[in-house]
Amino acid sequence: MEKRKKRPAEKQNKKQTKPQSSAPVKNGRSDVVGKKTFWRGMASRVYTAAAIIVVTAALVWAFTAFFTVENIVVYGNSRYTVEEIVELSGVEQGDGLILLSRAKIRENIIGDGVYIEDVSVKKLLPDTVEITVTDKTVTAAFEANGAYWLISGSGTLLELTLTCPADVTVIKGAKLVDSAPGRSFTCEDGAKHTMLKTLINALRENGLMEYIDLIDITETYQVVLTYDGAYDIVMGSAEKIAADVARIPTVLELARAEGKTSGCFDMRDGSVRYTPDRWKGNILS
């Protein structure tokens, strides 16, 4: 029996496949949905922010409308009337209490009140502003051609007056320049200015300023202090004047213990030399 021959296998045509693009295929429906979601989110945030602004504005209006200034109370003032302090403050009845700036009120009063040292401001609900004033104290007075420039403890010029208040230290022998209320005192002579600043600070720090009747700085090499109407104390070194002032309480305590109720102490050379005579401008031997 004759075997049947196999037909040669037909060559199969290989199917050619197109290379796929690496770019994603856009889905039109999904893109539209995403954009809608984005704009909905944006709108939600805008509406929320707007609502917060409206509520905040409403609260501010409510506080401003319901908490208004009806009472202005002033404490501590001695040189200014209540009306003057209120006018300086800039606060008026009917102002919104919540929006008032305490710092601005304080700045207004101190800026225009030469005699005012410090100001404390409180806002008390529902309708009160409380102002507490601390006045400057007149510490000394510069002789100025028959008049007197009054100064505070910090050296601020307060006013020019024809009379010197009692119990105020008189400063003699120093000419002032650029003088105006509210400014710090400035001496024409720079050496005297520096010496006076140091001297006044030292006297205040040692609690002696209130006992000094006169500071005569006509000559910087012999500055004379008159103490409580009984003693003259002569100093002459700008470099050690603060240290010399610190010695005064001990020097006077020892003098009183020895029965020296008046006289003059010369401290110019570093030692302390005493004479029962008051200072007359002579150099002590």
Side-chain angles (χ1 to χ4, degrees), residues 89-250:
S89 73
V91 180
E92 297 180 353
Q93 288 185 331
D95 287 345
L97 183 65
I98 303 300
L99 297 181
L100 281 178
S101 169
R102 289 179 295 181
K104 181 62 176 176
I105 295 171
R106 182 178 181 275
E107 180 184 336
N108 289 344
I109 297 174
I110 292 179
D112 293 329
V114 175
Y115 270 95
I116 296 174
E117 183 75 33
D118 197 12
V119 174
S120 171
V121 181
K122 294 181 181 179
K123 297 189 290 185
L124 306 176
L125 293 176
D127 58 7
T128 301
V129 174
E130 181 182 289
I131 302 172
T132 302
V133 177
T134 302
D135 289 337
K136 288 186 175 77
T137 302
V138 178
T139 301
F142 280 88
E143 287 187 347
N145 298 323
Y148 298 89
W149 264 111
L150 307 184
I151 67 168
S152 68
S154 60
T156 301
L157 294 168
L158 301 175
E159 65 175 307
L160 183 65
T161 178
L162 294 175
T163 58
C164 182
D167 302 324
V168 168
T169 303
V170 175
I171 301 174
K172 177 182 178 181
K175 183 179 180 181
L176 297 180
V177 294
D178 299 327
S179 301
R183 293 184 179 179
S184 296
F185 78 83
T186 303
C187 298
E188 185 178 52
D189 186 318
K192 289 183 178 181
H193 178 86
T194 301
M195 200 169 191
L196 266 177
K197 294 283 283 187
T198 303
L199 178 57
I200 291 172
N201 289 337
L203 289 170
R204 294 184 67 202
E205 289 173 2
N206 288 275
L208 298 174
M209 194 69 188
E210 60 183 298
Y211 301 105
I212 304 299
D213 305 316
L214 174 69
I215 298 175
D216 187 346
I217 196 169
T218 303
E219 304 292 348
T220 55
Y221 62 86
Q222 54 181 32
V223 178
V224 183
L225 310 181
T226 300
Y227 183 96
D228 205 18
Y231 301 98
D232 294 319
I233 303 166
V234 188
M235 294 177 287
S237 172
E239 291 75 18
K240 64 184 186 67
I241 199 166
D244 285 343
V245 168
R247 298 167 64 193
I248 291 176
T250 302

Side-chain angles (χ1 to χ4, degrees), residues 49-109:
I52 292 173
I53 293 173
V54 171
V55 171
T56 301
L59 288 173
V60 170
W61 176 86
F63 277 115
T64 304
F66 289 107
F67 297 109
T68 59
V69 177
E70 298 298 332
N71 304 300
I72 305 172
V73 183
V74 179
Y75 297 108
N77 57 305
S78 60
R79 290 188 171 271
Y80 299 90
T81 65
V82 171
E83 292 74 17
E84 287 173 330
I85 296 297
V86 171
E87 184 178 355
L88 290 175
S89 73
V91 180
E92 297 180 353
Q93 288 185 331
D95 287 345
L97 183 65
I98 303 300
L99 297 181
L100 281 178
S101 169
R102 289 179 295 181
K104 181 62 176 176
I105 295 171
R106 182 178 181 275
E107 180 184 336
N108 289 344
I109 297 174

